[in-house]
Amino acid sequence: MDINNVSDDTQMMSTDSPGSAEKVSRRSLLQTTAAGTLAGITGLAGCQGGTGGSQSNVEPISQDSLTIWHAMGGSNGETLQALADQFQSETGISVNLVFQDSYEGVLTKTLGALESGSVPDLAQIDSLFAQQVLNTGAVEPVEELLSDDFPADDFLPNVTSFFTLDGTLQSMPFNNSNCIMYYNKSAFEAAGLDPESPPETISEVRQYSETLVDEGVTDFGITWPNHVWFVETWFSNDGQFLVDAENGHDGSASTLTVDNDTARKLYEWWRGMAQDGLYSNPGIEAWGEASTTFLTENAAMLLTSTASVTSTRTQATENGFEVDTAFYPTVDGDRVGPVIGGASWFASAGLSDERRGQIGQFLEFMGSTEAQMQWHKGTGYYPIRESAIGQLESEGWFEQNPMYRTAFDQLTQAEQDPATKRMLVGPARQIQTTIQDTSVEIFDENISIDQGISNMKSTAEEEFERYSSN
Amino acid sequence: MSSREIFTDRAQGLGLLVPTIIVSIIFLYYPAVRALGLSFYQATFGRSSFTGLSNYTRIISSGDYLGSIVVSVGFAVCVVLGVLVVALYFTFLIHEVDYGKSVYLIASIWPYALPPAVAGLVFLFLSHPTIGILTSYIESIGIQVDWFSDGGQAFTVVVVAAVWKQIGYNIIFMTAAMNNIPDSLTETARLDGVGRINRLLRVYVPMMSPTLVFLVVINTIYGFFGTFAIIDTMTMGGPAGATNILIYDLYQTAFQSYDFGFASAKSVILFIIVGLLMIVQFKISDRYTFYGT
């Protein structure tokens, strides 16, 4: 059951029943309605209870075509479909792409499918949830599906390192990005700021924001969605782990490593920005609202994914201002590197050899230089290959689209540091919401920074403990 | 009762009930029983182990869950009262008006025609702190709109949204009930010099009491469960749990954390809370409701 079913259910509960109420039986009817509704609520949670035990019979959802679940909507989804069509006509292997609405949607359905044994051949899983899928033991490392002569050595190491565990590529990186700063050059000029030297640290962001707001150019200095990815990026740029065991890449994580200067400086700044009306809080995971705030010139700076370059530039031009991109502002001047976000393809284990071969072919196609260039141009996600970047350069792509340059430079100038691998933890969703919710409490001054940090730690520790004990 | 009997034999009646019974068993009662069983397990995808009452002790010792109960009850009370008062007043105004009755009626029922998720989104963009259409007007009277960070404001906004969404439904029923009140009664009240508000509260409301009881029950269910989509699209239970009503908390536990055992235990508790509330409502309403002869 997914969110849509839940709301259908609840809607039904509030609307059915009254129509035929007769005087005599109205009261009893009411009571039965109420009782039925209540039973329904209890049922809500019961409808998806795992009884445990991994299945022995794995069957693909369809024998005739590869079933691939993804979370790419809009024009990104169209670009993906175009690539799949190309694959079908080249190989004759039929592919059925199924849009599952969101990464959460893909994750929920995939976990359910892996348990039931009727599986999609590939699922696009957000890197945040990778560990949860790996823990099912029902996925096969994609490296085993790729042929020996597939050129894996020219993958971008910053991208593939996250997806490699114990020296084996577990899933095929596909749509990857990191966060970057967008800024409104026209607003900078109007406020008397140099549009060619955007702020580089969070304290500079504050100075710039003060000028912008004091000059009455924009209502707020900066905005970004309250998503854990941004906190992760601040930590990695500062060379800090967010969770222990090297962000969960070296064994199981058991706590948050937030009792440090990075966290204190970050939250002091964040809280000050919010309290002084310099930061516009678009809400938790509110990607669209954050972009709208920037595009309607309510805030002059935006932190969001490099994958938004194309759409942000187009819409900024439509709204009559000039936009540019800059490196993500650092906490303290240190710039180790950003964490990679985005998703990768996970393959179901236990399928026939013929099927595995077909999946391998599809992954090789999607990982090829040509497909990666096409994907990058259509969406703004990084190509995962050096050769694709080289070819884009020789085509003059970056001269025509200089904003992509920043995104690449930020990635390729990054050091190979374990802190740039984002957290890999089982209870990822719980850790994510813990950090996001506590962030609001801190910057809204409901609790002190130290209190927030210790709350975050203890809640996370409980979640880690519970996850590992199950 | 005999005058209302339509079916000559029981088998025929039962036959017509079978589809409903089957659907109820498959989609309501069986999952409900499973949920009760599951509440004694710690369960997620692929793994489950019997843990006895530990899910329940975890609920009782959880400050967040107690907070969620307080928020839910407060939310339901505000929504039920808000909906009834506003809808009753609107109905009365529409009832009194001589021209353009149907225009007013349609205008006030309109929000109800929206699917809950759409209503949530519409209200989100009406009242969004930075880009909302109504925000600048509200700020011009000296209120700093900041409900993405301010829990009290967030609570108020979702209550207003939930009330706005539900008044149309109430107005339909209240209009029907008010139209059933004999004109002679209105005339008598007028001749006796009863004022407008007294006529509404002392004459109409008692006559409408069966409908009002029905609406209290439906609105309570709505306040506890039907507002899920509004919460999900507007606040996602935040900020800091200020709008985290039980049904949303349950959804997050089950379908975002995949903690099915814990979620089942929460649903059992929710079932008990709302069940008790219903019993109390029926007991109280028995005393004050006039069902006619």
Side-chain angles (χ1 to χ4, degrees), chain B residues 56-72:
Chain B
Y56 291 97
T57 52
R58 197 175 143 198
I59 287 176
I60 292 165
S61 60
S62 157
D64 287 349
Y65 195 76
L66 294 178
S68 185
I69 291 179
V70 172
V71 168
S72 291

Side-chain angles (χ1 to χ4, degrees), chain A residues 1-3 6-7 10-11 13-19 21-24 26-27 29-31 33-54 104 107-109 111-113 115 132 135-136 219-220 280-286 289 292-293 296 298 429-430 433 437 440-441 443-444 446 459 463 466-470, chain B residues 1 4 27-29 31-32 34-36 38 42-49 58 112 114-117 124-125 128-131 146 148-151 166 169 173 210-211 213-214 217-218 221-222 225-229 232-233 235-236 238-240 247 250-252 254-260 263-264 267-268 270-271 274-275 278 282-283 285-286 291-293:
Chain A
M1 175 178 278
D2 65 6
I3 172 175
V6 175
S7 43
T10 44
Q11 185 188 6
M13 283 158 198
S14 64
T15 54
D16 67 359
S17 76
E22 290 290 339
K23 217 181 220 174
V24 188
R26 186 181 308 189
R27 219 172 153 280
L29 176 97
L30 260 177
Q31 279 168 333
T33 309
T37 307
L38 290 178
I41 290 308
T42 324
L44 194 72
C47 70
Q48 197 170 29
T51 41
S54 59
E104 287 78 12
L107 178 70
T108 308
K109 293 204 175 75
L111 291 173
E115 184 166 317
Q132 227 164 336
N135 281 348
T136 61
D219 294 341
F220 299 93
S280 167
N281 170 22
I284 287 175
E285 294 164 27
E289 287 83 353
T292 310
T293 305
T296 51
N298 280 299
R429 182 74 193 161
Q430 288 92 317
T433 51
D437 290 346
V440 179
E441 288 187 79
F443 73 68
D444 202 31
N446 288 338
T459 312
E463 295 293 351
R466 192 172 300 121
Y467 190 87
S468 61
S469 73
N470 190 355
Chain B
M1 281 293 244
R4 303 207 59 81
F27 292 106
L28 289 177
Y29 303 120
R34 277 290 306 275
L36 183 64
L38 200 57
Q42 183 164 354
T44 184
F45 283 113
R47 292 180 289 174
S48 77
S49 52
R58 197 175 143 198
Y112 181 66
L114 297 171
L124 172 65
F125 282 100
H128 192 286
T130 29
I131 52 178
D146 184 27
F148 283 0
S149 309
D150 183 320
Q166 186 71 355
Y169 180 84
F173 282 89
T211 302
V213 169
F214 162 75
V217 172
I218 292 294
I221 293 173
Y222 170 77
F225 307 121
T227 44
F228 173 87
D232 191 44
T233 47
T235 63
M236 296 176 74
I247 187 75
L250 170 58
Y251 160 76
Q252 284 194 311
F255 303 111
Q256 303 220 306
S257 305
Y258 309 121
D259 200 344
F260 300 125
S264 296
S267 76
V268 172
L270 183 56
F271 178 90
V274 182
M278 291 287 156
F282 281 119
K283 291 265 182 254
S285 64
D286 260 351
Y291 277 105
T293 47

Side-chain angles (χ1 to χ4, degrees), chain A residues 205-443:
Chain A
V205 168
R206 180 166 177 114
Q207 291 164 18
Y208 276 64
S209 299
E210 282 171 353
T211 310
L212 285 156
V213 173
D214 288 346
E215 295 290 321
V217 177
T218 50
D219 294 341
F220 299 93
I222 190 168
T223 185
W224 68 90
N226 181 2
H227 189 285
V228 72
W229 195 31
F230 298 91
V231 178
E232 291 182 86
T233 304
W234 270 305
F235 270 70
S236 74
N237 261 330
D238 218 32
Q240 284 286 345
F241 295 115
L242 183 59
V243 300
D244 64 342
E246 301 206 341
N247 273 353
H249 289 267
D250 184 31
S252 297
S254 61
T255 186
L256 292 179
T257 48
V258 287
D259 199 353
N260 54 34
D261 279 353
T262 308
R264 285 207 180 78
K265 278 182 192 155
L266 172 63
Y267 279 113
E268 253 156 49
W269 169 78
W270 193 349
R271 163 195 281 224
M273 292 287 288
Q275 290 303 317
D276 299 338
L278 301 171
Y279 161 66
S280 167
N281 170 22
I284 287 175
E285 294 164 27
W287 301 93
E289 287 83 353
S291 290
T292 310
T293 305
F294 177 74
L295 290 167
T296 51
E297 300 191 72
N298 280 299
M301 289 172 273
L302 166 73
L303 305 178
T304 195
S305 165
T306 49
S308 309
V309 164
T310 314
S311 63
T312 307
R313 188 184 46 190
T314 317
Q315 292 181 51
T317 314
E318 279 171 18
N319 292 0
F321 68 90
E322 205 185 333
V323 65
D324 207 346
T325 50
F327 281 7
Y328 196 80
T330 60
V331 174
D332 206 11
D334 283 345
R335 188 179 292 284
V336 175
V339 291
I340 291 291
S344 61
W345 299 114
F346 277 81
S348 299
L351 299 171
S352 70
D353 282 345
E354 188 199 355
R355 197 74 176 199
R356 292 170 66 234
Q358 292 178 346
I359 298 172
Q361 270 182 280
F362 181 82
L363 291 172
E364 289 185 9
F365 175 85
M366 285 297 179
S368 69
T369 308
E370 294 73 31
Q372 281 294 313
M373 284 171 62
Q374 198 177 327
W375 177 242
H376 166 74
K377 287 182 182 173
T379 62
Y381 285 110
Y382 294 133
I384 55 166
R385 267 183 194 290
E386 308 269 12
S387 59
I389 298 178
Q391 240 174 305
L392 286 166
E393 257 169 25
S394 57
E395 274 181 16
W397 169 256
F398 293 113
E399 273 90 77
Q400 292 157 29
N401 302 279
M403 281 171 70
Y404 286 117
R405 184 84 261 176
T406 329
F408 274 104
D409 289 349
Q410 183 173 266
L411 180 74
T412 50
Q413 285 174 18
E415 296 165 32
Q416 276 294 318
D417 187 292
T420 61
K421 290 197 213 173
R422 85 184 296 193
M423 63 171 170
L424 184 66
V425 297
R429 182 74 193 161
Q430 288 92 317
I431 300 304
Q432 176 187 12
T433 51
T434 300
I435 293 174
Q436 290 166 182
D437 290 346
T438 317
S439 296
V440 179
E441 288 187 79
I442 295 176
F443 73 68

